[in-house]
């Protein structure tokens, strides 16, 4: 029987972001599990940073899913705005996960109040709409943006320094006892960030793929 794919879909056009996500999947890959296949939407925006980007990416994510239904075990939309998630969930028989939703659910098992390290201030309003729709605003300590675009995350030294500063603010000023990285492009920084801050750090794509693997294993 052909091994099916758990497709992890990066809705932006950055292969560098996809490579970082793929590297973060290493500890989750198993010979007897579905193939965790990370893909880039080539015609997507360079970064998902506005509502226009989210809406545009949603259709591309859905189109990719429709084209790969025959060999898909499931889909993960790997952007913190979860573009296309509810479209994917209208597809019967294939489970779909969004990294924002999965990260929040995971964070709430690790601490009472979680903080989010966002990329840009403009992203924060979208995130709060998600927390409100999920009914979990009382569990969100706050969000702090690092003021860097998706493309600028490639400057790893500066990005890590900014993320540590944001994490310290969330920890000391907002009372967060677990942190969520609010962009899939932050995947390479989880272990260093956790070491520096001394708090559990949730990498959202890892959270979503972990949930997907468990659900597939249980046959839900």
């Amino acid at each position: 029987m052909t091994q099916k794919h758990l497709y992890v879909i990066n809705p932006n056009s950055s292969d560098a972001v996809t490579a970082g996500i793929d590297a973060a999947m290493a500890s989750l890959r198993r010979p007897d599990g579905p193939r965790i296949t990370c893909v880039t939407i080539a015609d997507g925006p360079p970064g998902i940073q506005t509502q226009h980007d989210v809406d545009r990416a949603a259709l591309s994510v859905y189109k990719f899913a429709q084209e790969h239904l025959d060999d898909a075990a499931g889909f993960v939309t790997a952007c913190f705005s979860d573009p296309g998630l509810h479209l994917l969930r209208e597809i019967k028989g294939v489970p779909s996960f969004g990294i924002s939703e999965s990260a929040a659910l995971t964070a709430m098992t690790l601490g009472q109040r979680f903080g989010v390290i966002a990329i840009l201030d403009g992203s924060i309003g979208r995130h709060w709409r998600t927390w409100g729709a999920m009914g979990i605003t009382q569990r969100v300590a706050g969000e702090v943006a690092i003021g860097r675009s998706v493309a600028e995350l490639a400057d790893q030294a500066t990005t890590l320094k900014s993320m540590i500063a944001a994490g310290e603010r969330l920890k000391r000023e907002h009372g967060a006892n677990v942190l969520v990285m609010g962009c899939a492009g932050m995947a390479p920084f989880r272990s260093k960030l956790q070491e520096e801050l001394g708090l559990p750090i949730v990498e959202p794509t890892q959270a979503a793929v972990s949930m997907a693997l468990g659900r597939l294993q249980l046959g839900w």
Side-chain angles (χ1 to χ4, degrees), residues 75-154:
F75 298 106
V76 171
T77 177
C79 164
F80 206 71
S81 293
D82 289 350
L85 176 60
H86 299 294
L87 286 171
L88 295 181
R89 286 183 172 164
E90 292 183 351
I91 301 173
K92 303 302 182 185
V94 182
S96 296
F97 297 81
I99 66 170
S100 175
E101 182 181 76
S102 299
L105 294 171
T106 300
M108 290 191 294
T109 71
L110 294 169
Q112 181 60 29
R113 300 180 76 230
F114 68 89
V116 179
I117 301 174
I119 54 169
L120 298 169
D121 285 324
S123 305
I124 293 176
R126 291 197 308 279
H127 299 168
W128 278 104
R129 289 197 295 273
T130 297
W131 313 142
M134 292 176 68
I136 59 169
T137 54
Q138 73 278 12
R139 300 288 298 275
V140 183
E143 299 207 15
V144 173
I146 62 172
R148 301 182 68 77
S149 69
V150 173
E152 289 170 330
L153 298 179

Side-chain angles (χ1 to χ4, degrees), residues 13-190:
S13 59
S14 171
D15 288 328
V17 169
T18 305
I21 294 169
D22 187 71
M25 298 298 101
S27 61
L28 297 173
R29 290 187 163 103
R30 295 289 183 272
D32 58 344
R35 294 177 62 184
I36 300 172
T37 303
C38 301
V39 298
T40 306
I41 299 296
D43 65 352
I48 311 294
Q49 295 170 182
T50 66
Q51 190 61 50
H52 180 273
D53 292 335
V54 176
D55 293 344
R56 171 185 166 191
L59 296 177
S60 295
V61 167
Y62 184 71
K63 180 175 182 288
F64 176 90
Q66 289 286 359
E67 292 171 348
H68 293 81
L69 280 177
D70 289 345
D71 66 350
F75 298 106
V76 171
T77 177
C79 164
F80 206 71
S81 293
D82 289 350
L85 176 60
H86 299 294
L87 286 171
L88 295 181
R89 286 183 172 164
E90 292 183 351
I91 301 173
K92 303 302 182 185
V94 182
S96 296
F97 297 81
I99 66 170
S100 175
E101 182 181 76
S102 299
L105 294 171
T106 300
M108 290 191 294
T109 71
L110 294 169
Q112 181 60 29
R113 300 180 76 230
F114 68 89
V116 179
I117 301 174
I119 54 169
L120 298 169
D121 285 324
S123 305
I124 293 176
R126 291 197 308 279
H127 299 168
W128 278 104
R129 289 197 295 273
T130 297
W131 313 142
M134 292 176 68
I136 59 169
T137 54
Q138 73 278 12
R139 300 288 298 275
V140 183
E143 299 207 15
V144 173
I146 62 172
R148 301 182 68 77
S149 69
V150 173
E152 289 170 330
L153 298 179
D155 180 350
Q156 295 203 358
T158 303
T159 297
L160 179 60
K161 183 178 179 180
S162 299
M163 290 178 69
I164 291 170
E168 288 285 0
R169 283 187 59 193
L170 287 164
K171 179 179 175 180
R172 300 184 187 284
E173 298 175 19
H174 297 265
N177 46 30
V178 57
L179 298 177
V180 171
M181 299 193 298
C183 176
M186 295 176 175
F189 304 101
R190 193 193 75 83

